[in-house]
Amino acid sequence: MSLKPFVFAISLAAVLPAFAQDTSLSTELADIERQLTEIDAQAARYDGGLILTLIDARREALLLAKTLTENRINAEAGGATVEVTVPAVQPDEARAAQILGEMAAAQQRIEEAEREAATGGGLIQALALSRAETERLTLAQLQMGYLQAKYGIAFPVMVALPSAAAPAAAPAADPATPPEGAAQTVAWADARFPAIDYTLAPFEQANRDGHRISGWWTIESSRAAVDDSPQIVALNHSQFQPNNFVGQTALVARCIEGETAFVFVQDDFLMNDYRRNSFEMTLRIDDQPSQQSRWSSLTSNKGAGLFGRDAETFIRSIYDADRLFIRLVESNGQQHDALFELAGAQDAFEEVAAACGWTTLSLSTDDYRAIQTLLNAGGFDVGTPDGQWGPASQRAMRAYQASVGLPETGAPDRATLERLGVRQ
């Protein structure tokens, strides 16, 4: 639900006679402050849900109206000239009269909903309260329409011009403007993670290239040239440094030509253990104890990775994690540390797993046997259930997935098991 604030300094209460008389700005301001006090008391009764969302939307509108009214009062008190830019709208008396009737009807619906809420309980009461709050927002919209139709006013933009006698006051904060330092909102931002700055170059480039963005990850989908098999390359950019022109530190989860890889890439050329062609790694997942491992060296000598089953196992281990600390140690003892934020990783990991035909769930032999039994019972023959997920099981699973409209991964992935009724 997207509820936009209504930009004008008027009362949002249903007091229809107020439109038939002139009111001063100080009166308007006092009325707005009264309503804000009432809204705070009303909001305190709710922990969440639709009603609180609607209340918050009204509060946002009132705060903006309060700011505009205070600015106008301060400008007039300081002798400032106020320039008002108003779109060209012709008054329409007939339309104004019609809207007044609609406002009266909205007020009546509010009163009916409040009476129903007062006499009911449980779900009936909750629905009545939601309906009443929704009607209050509708009433606010009607009030905007009335002002436009009656007076030709359409969302004025006021700019205070300082006079010679009074210095310009600092502009009041606009509630609709993000605080200084907050990430800018862009069309390609993942709304689930508002703290991430999606104006960073890799996200902008991913948007231009038509790639998916999930949290700190960009996800590129393609087809392998050799066999048209699905390819997924997901990159984590939480360590991106805008001023680093040599190279970037990143995580890569990928499926290329049926093989899964999980790779740590950084911007230096590394000295590996040439006898083992690998690096010593220290890993820490969230607040768990750190663990030691060895990862294979990349042919570029600028990172290390896990491949095949090792990569699948590691991805499962961090599927629900929030952070991953990595320390790579070169053969000369030099260390390279990075702490990655993993927000959005589950989408990336699911796409990699689907492309390579495995599941992000950690399943035991008994789990696989149970799934095979379910497939057999549904007419998708896997042979004798033995707990080994081989070609017959993959073919049977693809047939089942095709029958229910799921991606044909051949793996007992989360979406498929949910459709089968298996608790995860």
Side-chain angles (χ1 to χ4, degrees):
M1 175 181 296
S2 177
L3 301 171
K4 297 182 178 179
F6 308 104
V7 187
F8 198 75
I10 65 169
S11 166
L12 297 186
V15 186
L16 300 182
F19 289 97
Q21 58 186 0
D22 293 332
T23 58
S24 68
L25 287 173
S26 59
T27 302
E28 293 284 5
L29 181 60
D31 194 33
I32 292 170
E33 290 174 340
R34 175 188 60 78
Q35 292 177 72
L36 284 169
T37 300
E38 293 176 354
I39 283 179
D40 288 339
Q42 185 181 4
R45 300 198 295 267
Y46 300 94
D47 295 326
L50 174 61
I51 295 177
L52 186 58
T53 299
L54 295 169
I55 292 172
D56 287 341
R58 279 207 299 141
R59 179 194 285 113
E60 185 178 358
L62 284 168
L63 286 172
L64 188 55
K66 179 174 180 287
T67 297
L68 291 174
T69 304
E70 288 175 335
N71 283 351
R72 178 67 177 268
I73 291 173
N74 291 336
E76 292 185 352
T81 301
V82 178
E83 178 183 335
V84 181
T85 303
V86 182
V89 178
Q90 292 298 321
D92 185 339
E93 291 288 345
R95 177 59 179 157
Q98 178 185 351
I99 294 176
L100 277 177
E102 293 174 3
M103 291 172 68
Q107 176 61 27
Q108 183 177 358
R109 291 193 296 270
I110 291 171
E111 293 171 354
E112 291 173 354
E114 289 177 337
R115 285 195 295 270
E116 185 178 339
T119 57
L123 180 60
I124 292 176
Q125 183 184 55
L127 291 174
L129 290 172
S130 296
R131 192 166 69 253
E133 197 60 40
T134 302
E135 290 294 347
R136 289 190 182 97
L137 283 172
T138 299
L139 185 60
Q141 290 175 305
L142 289 170
Q143 289 173 330
M144 299 302 100
Y146 175 82
L147 289 173
Q148 178 173 304
K150 180 68 175 178
Y151 304 107
I153 298 174
F155 301 100
V157 178
M158 292 181 288
V159 181
L161 303 177
S163 67
D174 184 347
T177 301
E180 184 177 355
Q184 299 181 31
T185 300
V186 290
W188 55 86
D190 186 340
R192 298 172 300 171
F193 306 101
I196 296 175
D197 183 0
Y198 286 104
T199 65
L200 293 174
F203 295 119
E204 185 175 1
Q205 184 64 49
N207 175 67
R208 285 199 297 267
D209 293 341
H211 302 160
R212 183 181 178 189
I213 296 173
S214 176
W216 278 110
W217 300 76
T218 57
I219 307 171
E220 177 182 357
S221 302
S222 61
R223 292 282 174 177
V226 67
D227 58 5
D228 288 328
S229 61
Q231 293 189 153
I232 299 292
V233 178
L235 286 83
N236 179 291
H237 301 285
S238 62
Q239 282 287 312
F240 178 80
Q241 300 295 327
N243 296 323
N244 188 341
F245 301 105
V246 178
Q248 292 294 333
T249 298
L251 289 180
V252 182
R254 73 187 190 207
C255 173
I256 301 293
E257 296 183 10
E259 181 184 61
T260 302
F262 190 85
V263 175
F264 168 55
V265 179
Q266 53 78 63
D267 58 3
D268 288 334
F269 285 96
L270 307 172
M271 295 179 61
N272 65 13
D273 183 343
Y274 68 91
R275 291 169 298 182
R276 304 174 66 177
N277 197 31
S278 62
F279 291 99
E280 177 185 342
M281 310 289 290
T282 300
L283 311 167
R284 191 180 188 194
I285 303 168
D286 288 337
D287 295 325
Q288 300 176 22
S290 59
Q291 53 185 285
Q292 305 299 314
S293 180
R294 293 200 73 89
W295 288 19
S296 299
S297 175
L298 303 182
T299 55
S300 65
N301 290 323
K302 297 188 71 173
L306 295 170
F307 301 88
R309 293 292 178 86
D310 291 337
E312 296 172 16
T313 300
F314 186 74
I315 288 174
R316 291 188 187 100
S317 73
I318 62 172
Y319 185 88
D320 294 311
D322 296 320
R323 298 178 307 280
L324 174 64
F325 171 81
I326 294 181
R327 170 174 291 168
L328 181 152
V329 183
E330 296 185 58
S331 59
N332 61 4
Q334 185 173 348
Q335 298 179 354
H336 301 267
D337 291 356
L339 178 62
F340 293 94
E341 299 293 332
L342 300 180
Q346 293 184 355
D347 291 342
F349 295 164
E350 287 294 342
E351 291 206 26
V352 169
C356 274
W358 52 277
T359 177
T360 57
L361 291 164
S362 297
L363 301 176
S364 67
T365 299
D366 288 340
D367 292 328
Y368 283 113
R369 187 180 294 113
I371 296 167
Q372 290 168 330
T373 301
L374 281 174
L375 289 172
N376 278 342
F380 302 93
D381 184 27
V382 301
T384 302
D386 59 1
Q388 303 301 313
W389 201 256
S393 297
Q394 294 171 11
R395 285 194 297 271
M397 180 59 82
R398 289 193 187 95
Y400 169 75
Q401 289 165 333
S403 72
V404 295
L406 290 173
E408 297 175 36
T409 65
D413 52 58
R414 294 169 190 262
T416 302
L417 294 188
E418 181 178 350
R419 190 63 178 266
L420 280 169
V422 177
R423 296 184 62 185
Q424 301 173 27

